[in-house]
Amino acid sequence: MALPATHARLSRLSQENATRRENRHAFSVVPPTNNIYAVHQPDVSVLDPAGNPSFEITAANKSYKHQYSNIYFVRLRLLRQFVEDRAHKRWRNHQGNPILVPRVLEVVKSRMCYIIGTVYMDMPLKPNVIEDLARDQSIPPPPPNTKFHSPEDNIMLEDESGRIRLVGEYVKSARLVTGVIVGALGAETPNGDFEVVDLCYPGMAPQESLEDLPQEEDGMDVDGDSLASDEWIAVVSGLRVGSPSPPDAQIQMLVEYLIGEEGGVAEQVSAARISRLIIAGNSLAQLLPTGKEESGDIEPSAKKSKRYGYDATTFSPHPVLTLSDYLHDIASALPVHILPGESDPSGTILPQQSLPKAMFGAVAKLPTFSCETNPTYLRLGCQPEASNRPPLERNLLINSGQPLDDMFKYLPSPPNTRLSILESTLKWRHMAPTAPDTLWCHPYFGTDPFIITATPDLYIVGNQKRFATKIVVDQDKNGEGSKARCRVVSVPEFSRTGVLVLINLVSLDVKTVTFAVQGMTGAGENAEQPEPPVNPSPLPLEPASTAPKSSLSSEYL
């Protein structure tokens, strides 16, 4: 396998490729077969995503004539019953015998009751399209706010009948964003507000693979002693190929590590257990104009000449070609799933549709290369090595980070962290509640695909500031008497941190590998700063890896 000639030392590596491939295959679980999936890891396969919603926009739902209010009505209709059932169990023995009021505008003053509706955050700092249209266009717009939160915010609860303002110390400290379906317990005040004493959420959705998860609650919150033969998946995000300071050396090291041509025997054995790679968005840097066309330095005749359908004076295909070379090397050894991100050449609104395979050249012909939507569900089947373990099925929910970035603007930090917000989305049963208010999305009419109908085993979010992970456990038991559990993983940007996240499909343990080169720009900065602890979990949110130190660390270079 020929690697892209981006480093001088590849000439030396090319002479050792045959020996290294022999060493790598010597640690394979089964002998190589003609199936390209089985050459690297035959025990993990992609299953039919039965029961998971599809994020593909087809001719049946590709319509922009509907109002966005339909999404809120559908969301409330689908989640109201879950909130009502949990609220009845939670408050049936509460003092005052609270009753359910079916509409928020039918509450009675000074009568303890609870209402169910959709949260709306009235925030002066939030973008307002009406104000943008009314603004004097001759004046440059102000820079966008990094935070929408301010002391002047008002929290509303609305349904089909109208809207009522929620007040009280309890609701001020609650973690709420626009679009969340909640039940509020309280009473109406003399001035017409609703004073809240408690809140109830839909709770975590049922989980299909409860019997596959370990029963020790804290056993998955930190890295454990995973079996060396367990299957692992690799997750990376934010490669940003083509940026002004691209991490070319770190990406090349990543490619060589994944295909078993980097490091010593220990690293090659570790890489041989990786069954597939998931790239969670922002693979390409944001396209910036060259400015040549505006400067007038180009002859008029040169402006009209185009090659391969684009203007070579204002666009360069080199980032796409470079990324394609990287992907071809990796996909020749193991399956690759790539999601679009905010900076990738895909649509702006969610769900982002899969990138066209034609743009990736030769790698598009490989059956191991898959382009996914953002967000996306992946259902993986895994066969543990232990003879007493049945086959496992893992349900993965992955997105490129736009919903979390938008929700983070609504809440003060501290005390809120990105990891705590991800935990709340599972309890809200919604991965992107701020869509379509401040997060652009498709105007769905009769459905809301962002509702989490089944709790995934792995909830992966890419392009974050730093690595963090936690096990989220539902505090209320479901009908079968088991608790839904989910491993939440925040994947940092590779271009800034150089971090590759590895997840054990059997035990759901997590570890990281950092690629860094001293004296070179890009990657390796603040790779794993821990997030502040979030109560009630007494364990650190970012466990230290129990894996042996890799020779790929900067201290070995």
Side-chain angles (χ1 to χ4, degrees), residues 200-219:
C200 181
Y201 305 101
M204 295 178 65
Q207 192 171 44
E208 299 179 2
S209 55
L210 286 172
E211 68 280 359
D212 300 334
L213 295 172
Q215 296 302 316
E216 296 82 2
E217 182 169 333
D218 296 335

Side-chain angles (χ1 to χ4, degrees), residues 527-538:
E528 295 183 38
Q529 292 182 357
E531 295 252 11
V534 178
N535 293 329
S537 174

Side-chain angles (χ1 to χ4, degrees), residues 293 298-307 309-313:
E293 202 168 44
I298 306 174
E299 296 294 335
S301 59
K303 292 183 180 180
K304 298 180 180 179
S305 60
K306 292 185 179 181
R307 188 179 183 187
Y310 61 85
D311 189 350
T313 61

Side-chain angles (χ1 to χ4, degrees), residues 223-244:
D223 291 342
D225 296 330
S226 303
L227 295 176
S229 58
D230 285 350
E231 317 301 336
W232 297 75
I233 61 172
V235 187
V236 71
S237 66
L239 297 178
R240 294 192 180 275
V241 178
S243 61

